[in-house]
């Protein structure tokens, strides 16, 4: 893999350097809270890095039809959720993998497909100096809005909104005429009461009511107590009573940040948030690396925006500053699908960085390889 010095020279080692402490602390906390979960989490982590290693060698800049195929395959899986999906926690969002105890959430893989689709479409038709006009904006927006409405029906408001923010956030950073954004903001402001009344479900309204009420919900109340109990430097495991005595709900996934704060306190919380912000700003800096490399700019935009949305919403909901929407803390909460999604996205970003110059990977000669395995062997030689 790394025998080619030019690959080594352009591989971004800071990204894994920032990821490893996040993953390491996560594993430590999950082990403390339930040893039976840690084995499955190791499978998720190990499998994700194996997939990421393979993804790193895929020539994304050379692909077009394959990206379209992957996008529409994910769309088909989203639709199939309605017919063969399984319910968990009251929502039908997963498809069981036959003959295994694992399942996939198509709305997660859709984020990768949407990111690649936007990168391909925008690279094929870059924005003019004044940004995209209405015609091109609506055409590109259709790739975002169609999966948004399908995911919304599962129902999964949190994931649907992240798809919306990721897609339109990338468009905003790449370039859309400012008149379009002003119009959209005005339309949303006027129609927001109708969206609230007819566009969301009763349980979602209840979450908003709980958020706006003077007294937080039971979940958030216990989370705030855990965070406050951590103090400045945190508590030892045996003294972290909110988590150890099971007062804190969903402590390994949605509210793992509250447990982290109870164990490591305010100093630990600030340190973790700082690592996340450094990672996010570092990734977003690649949108300015080469203004003509739209594929890289779109991918960096999507990854950075998605990390920020997940991190900020998850932390905000644990302290009562946002409704509880079930978004995990990226690369930190227990679970496999979300972890795999982010690791694969980061692998794609590393791929675009490491192979962004005229290596064998980027030349037409890569077409002579009959399989991915041959391509990997050739690059490693």
């Amino acid at each position: 893999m790394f025998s080619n010095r030019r690959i080594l020279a352009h591989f971004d080692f800071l990204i894994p350097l920032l990821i490893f402490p996040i993953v390491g602390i996560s594993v430590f906390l999950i082990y403390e809270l339930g040893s039976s979960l840690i084995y499955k989490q190791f499978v998720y982590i190990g499998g994700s890095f194996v997939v990421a290693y393979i993804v790193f060698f895929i020539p994304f800049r050379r692909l077009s039809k394959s990206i379209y195929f992957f996008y529409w395959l994910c769309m088909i899986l989203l639709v199939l959720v309605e017919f063969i999906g399984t319910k968990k926690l009251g929502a039908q969002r997963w498809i069981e993998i036959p003959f295994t105890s694992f399942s996939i959430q198509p709305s997660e893989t859709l984020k990768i497909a949407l990111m690649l689709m936007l990168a391909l479409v925008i690279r094929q038709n870059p924005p003019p100096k004044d940004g995209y006009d209405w015609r091109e904006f609506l055409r590109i927006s259709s790739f975002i809005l169609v999966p948004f409405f399908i995911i919304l029906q599962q129902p999964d408001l949190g994931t649907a909104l992240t798809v919306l923010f990721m897609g339109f956030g990338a468009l905003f950073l790449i370039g859309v005429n400012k008149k379009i954004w002003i119009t959209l903001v005005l339309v949303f402001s006027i129609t927001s009461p109708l969206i609230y009344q007819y566009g969301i479900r009763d349980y979602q309204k209840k979450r908003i009511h709980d958020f706006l009420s003077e007294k937080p919900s039971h979940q958030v109340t216990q989370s705030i107590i855990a965070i406050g109990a951590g103090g400045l430097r945190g508590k030892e495991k045996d003294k972290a009573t909110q988590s150890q005595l099971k007062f804190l709900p969903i402590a390994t996934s949605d509210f793992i940040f509250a447990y982290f704060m109870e164990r490591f306190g305010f100093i630990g919380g600030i340190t973790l948030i700082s690592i996340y912000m450094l990672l996010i700003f570092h990734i977003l800096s690649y949108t300015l690396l080469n203004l003509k490399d739209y594929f890289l700019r779109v991918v960096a935009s999507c990854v950075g925006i998605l990390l920020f949305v997940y991190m900020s919403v998850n932390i905000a909901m644990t302290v009562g500053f946002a409704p509880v929407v079930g978004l995990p803390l990226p690369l930190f909460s227990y679970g496999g699908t979300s972890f795999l999604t982010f690791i694969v996205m980061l692998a794609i970003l590393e791929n675009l960085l490491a192979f962004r110059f005229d290596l064998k990977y980027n030349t037409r000669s890569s077409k002579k390889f009959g399989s991915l395995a041959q391509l990997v062997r050739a690059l490693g030689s």
Side-chain angles (χ1 to χ4, degrees), residues 5 30 37 121 142 150 168 188 197 214 256 333 338 344 346 354 359:
R5 293 183 179 180
I30 293 171
L37 296 176
V121 171
S142 65
I150 295 176
F168 285 111
F188 177 77
Q197 185 64 34
E214 294 182 4
I256 194 171
S333 296
S338 175
V344 168
L346 291 166
L359 303 178

Side-chain angles (χ1 to χ4, degrees), residues 75-101:
M75 293 292 292
I76 292 171
L77 290 175
L78 275 181
V79 175
L80 286 178
V81 169
E82 180 68 22
F83 302 99
I84 63 173
T86 58
K87 283 190 175 182
K88 296 180 182 180
L89 302 176
Q92 189 165 318
R93 306 169 188 170
W94 292 265
I95 295 178
E96 297 288 345
I97 300 177
F99 311 111
T100 72
S101 60

Side-chain angles (χ1 to χ4, degrees), residues 266-299:
F266 178 78
I267 294 176
I270 291 297
T271 302
L272 181 63
I273 293 173
S274 298
I275 294 174
Y276 271 117
M277 294 308 297
L278 181 58
L279 176 63
I280 290 166
F281 281 118
H282 177 65
I283 290 172
L284 289 177
S285 70
Y286 285 117
T287 62
L288 304 175
L289 182 65
N290 182 354
L291 296 181
K292 293 183 178 180
D293 189 350
Y294 288 101
F295 208 103
L296 174 60
R297 291 180 64 193
V298 172
V299 169

Side-chain angles (χ1 to χ4, degrees), residues 49 72 101 117 161 187 246-248 272 280 289 292:
F49 280 110
W72 290 111
S101 60
M117 177 64 84
L161 289 177
V187 170
K246 310 301 182 183
F247 291 121
L248 180 65
L272 181 63
I280 290 166
L289 182 65
K292 293 183 178 180

Side-chain angles (χ1 to χ4, degrees), residues 294-326:
Y294 288 101
F295 208 103
L296 174 60
R297 291 180 64 193
V298 172
V299 169
S301 299
C302 288
V303 177
I305 291 170
L306 204 60
L307 278 169
F308 177 76
V309 170
Y310 267 76
M311 181 208 69
S312 57
V313 171
N314 179 274
I315 293 176
M317 75 182 189
T318 61
V319 297
F321 288 168
V324 179
V325 292

Side-chain angles (χ1 to χ4, degrees), residues 71-292:
Y71 175 83
W72 290 111
L73 175 63
C74 290
M75 293 292 292
I76 292 171
L77 290 175
L78 275 181
V79 175
L80 286 178
V81 169
E82 180 68 22
F83 302 99
I84 63 173
T86 58
K87 283 190 175 182
K88 296 180 182 180
L89 302 176
Q92 189 165 318
R93 306 169 188 170
W94 292 265
I95 295 178
E96 297 288 345
I97 300 177
F99 311 111
T100 72
S101 60
F102 298 95
S103 59
I104 61 171
Q105 189 174 349
S107 58
E108 288 293 328
T109 55
L110 185 278
K111 295 170 188 172
I112 302 173
L114 176 60
M115 177 184 74
L116 292 173
M117 177 64 84
L118 291 176
L120 176 65
V121 171
I122 292 174
R123 185 187 67 179
Q124 292 175 340
N125 185 21
K129 183 178 180 181
D130 296 331
Y132 288 116
D133 57 17
W134 275 107
R135 180 181 177 182
E136 285 302 316
F137 175 76
L138 292 175
R139 185 177 75 88
I140 298 174
S141 296
S142 65
F143 293 110
I144 305 169
L145 292 174
V146 173
F148 165 76
F149 286 113
I150 295 176
I151 296 171
L152 198 61
Q153 293 301 311
Q154 291 184 353
D156 191 351
L157 179 62
T159 302
L161 289 177
T162 59
V163 168
L164 204 66
F165 289 143
M166 182 189 77
F168 285 111
L171 274 178
F172 174 77
L173 292 177
I174 296 302
V176 174
N177 192 291
K178 61 182 180 180
K179 294 180 180 179
I180 295 177
W181 291 115
I182 294 172
T183 303
L184 291 176
V185 170
L186 290 174
V187 170
F188 177 77
S189 300
I190 295 171
T191 60
S192 55
L194 295 175
I195 295 174
Y196 174 81
Q197 185 64 34
Y198 303 106
I200 61 177
R201 299 173 183 248
D202 290 339
Y203 82 93
Q204 293 164 344
K205 292 179 183 178
K206 184 179 183 303
R207 288 181 177 178
I208 296 175
H209 290 162
D210 291 341
F211 169 64
L212 295 176
S213 65
E214 294 182 4
K215 185 178 180 180
S217 65
H218 173 73
Q219 290 177 315
V220 176
T221 299
Q222 297 302 322
S223 174
I224 293 173
I225 292 173
I227 292 172
L232 184 64
R233 298 183 179 181
K235 292 183 174 183
E236 296 179 2
K237 175 185 175 181
D238 295 336
K239 296 180 180 180
T241 55
Q242 279 296 113
S243 307
Q244 297 302 322
L245 298 180
K246 310 301 182 183
F247 291 121
L248 180 65
I250 325 178
T252 57
S253 54
D254 290 356
F255 288 90
I256 194 171
F257 181 75
Y259 178 54
F260 173 81
M261 290 287 287
E262 188 177 20
R263 286 285 282 112
F264 297 101
F266 178 78
I267 294 176
I270 291 297
T271 302
L272 181 63
I273 293 173
S274 298
I275 294 174
Y276 271 117
M277 294 308 297
L278 181 58
L279 176 63
I280 290 166
F281 281 118
H282 177 65
I283 290 172
L284 289 177
S285 70
Y286 285 117
T287 62
L288 304 175
L289 182 65
N290 182 354
L291 296 181
K292 293 183 178 180

Side-chain angles (χ1 to χ4, degrees), residues 323-345:
V324 179
V325 292
L327 291 183
L329 193 58
L331 305 173
F332 204 81
S333 296
Y334 170 78
T337 308
S338 175
F339 188 91
L340 175 63
T341 299
F342 279 109
I343 290 297
V344 168
M345 282 184 160

